[in-house]
Amino acid sequence: MELNRYFDHTLLKPDATSAQIKALCADARHYEFASVCVNPCFIKLARKELEGSIVKVCTVIGFPLGAMTSKAKAFEAAEAIEEGAEEVDMVINVSKAKEHDFQGVKEDIACVKKACGKTLLKVILETCLLTKEEIVECCKAAEEAGADYVKTSTGFSKGGATPEDVRLMRETVGDRLGVKASGGVHNLAEARAMIEAGASRIGASASVTVMKEFQGE
């Protein structure tokens, strides 16, 4: 099991420094994680630090609320890709999801997908704010809009990923999309629970801690 390849090694805190991003990238290079996930202002730095490695640069769009206009998200995504982002994690319009305007959710995602082109797009649902029905409908909207992944959480709301939500998302999208569990994965047991539930990617700041635990077995 290549556990390292499940991880998007993440640092999205508003007070993150360049030195911390460099350390994040050094860890990611050492463990050969799938990607580092950083705020857009650090894309160029991350690209430079990871040059020559297999680790991709992932960034977040419409983060963390998802409440800006679709055009603003699309512009942000296009600029991020121009700066060197290889994967994009966007936040849905949660308000539309709560109003059960799933066509609006789909159109918002589709606008960003158009800007992304062939760049991998993960769609953050913020599952802690949604009912089970809303999670299912948002997964369907993401798939119809052309997304590559559905993702549980930003890590900045009232809760993160749960195995139950990951399982529901996997059941909804089958093997057609990836499922990313993000927020609340602190140790090896929690990482394994997410993978067993159907996660194909894990977003975590504790990736190194998990890998050390894994390698110590």
Side-chain angles (χ1 to χ4, degrees):
M1 180 186 184
E2 289 186 300
L3 183 64
N4 58 315
R5 299 301 295 164
Y6 279 88
F7 282 100
D8 289 346
H9 192 36
T10 303
L11 178 55
L12 297 169
K13 292 180 179 179
D15 58 347
T17 64
S18 296
Q20 289 173 320
I21 297 297
K22 288 179 180 179
L24 184 87
C25 292
D27 286 337
R29 183 188 282 271
H30 175 75
Y31 286 99
E32 294 191 330
F33 291 133
S35 81
V36 295
C37 190
V38 298
N39 281 308
C41 62
F42 288 120
I43 293 169
K44 284 186 176 180
L45 176 60
R47 278 297 297 245
K48 181 181 177 183
E49 292 298 309
L50 292 168
E51 189 175 357
S53 80
I54 65 171
V55 183
K56 295 187 181 300
V57 176
C58 173
T59 197
V60 288
I61 298 300
F63 197 83
L65 300 180
M68 54 289 296
T69 66
S70 299
K71 285 184 179 180
K73 291 180 187 177
F75 178 87
E76 189 180 17
E79 184 178 45
I81 292 164
E82 190 176 319
E83 298 240 304
E86 297 164 282
E87 298 186 359
V88 167
D89 291 17
M90 70 162 284
V91 187
I92 66 163
N93 187 312
V94 180
S95 297
K96 290 187 183 296
K98 297 307 295 182
E99 292 172 350
H100 291 192
D101 177 10
F102 299 113
Q103 179 63 26
V105 173
K106 174 183 170 181
E107 289 171 359
D108 183 58
I109 299 167
C111 189
V112 178
K113 177 58 183 175
K114 184 178 180 181
C116 286
K118 294 181 179 179
T119 300
L120 192 78
L121 176 63
K122 309 189 203 94
V123 175
I124 306 171
L125 307 185
E126 203 67 287
T127 49
C128 65
L129 301 179
L130 304 177
T131 65
K132 302 304 181 189
E133 177 195 2
E134 289 161 355
I135 291 171
V136 168
E137 292 302 322
C138 286
C139 285
K140 291 178 181 177
E143 182 173 2
E144 290 171 6
D148 301 288
Y149 270 74
V150 285
K151 174 179 169 181
T152 59
S153 321
T154 62
F156 284 79
S157 190
K158 64 181 182 179
T162 67
E164 293 75 22
D165 287 343
V166 169
R167 190 171 292 109
L168 178 62
M169 293 162 70
R170 175 55 71 195
E171 288 171 354
T172 304
V173 303
D175 59 2
R176 300 179 300 279
L177 272 66
V179 176
K180 179 175 173 180
S182 186
V185 179
H186 307 103
N187 56 50
L188 180 58
E190 290 173 346
R192 279 189 167 138
M194 297 302 175
I195 293 168
E196 287 168 7
S200 44
R201 197 77 72 88
I202 295 171
S205 56
S207 321
V208 172
T209 301
V210 175
M211 286 306 301
K212 286 180 178 177
E213 192 179 348
F214 179 66
Q215 291 171 343
E217 286 189 343

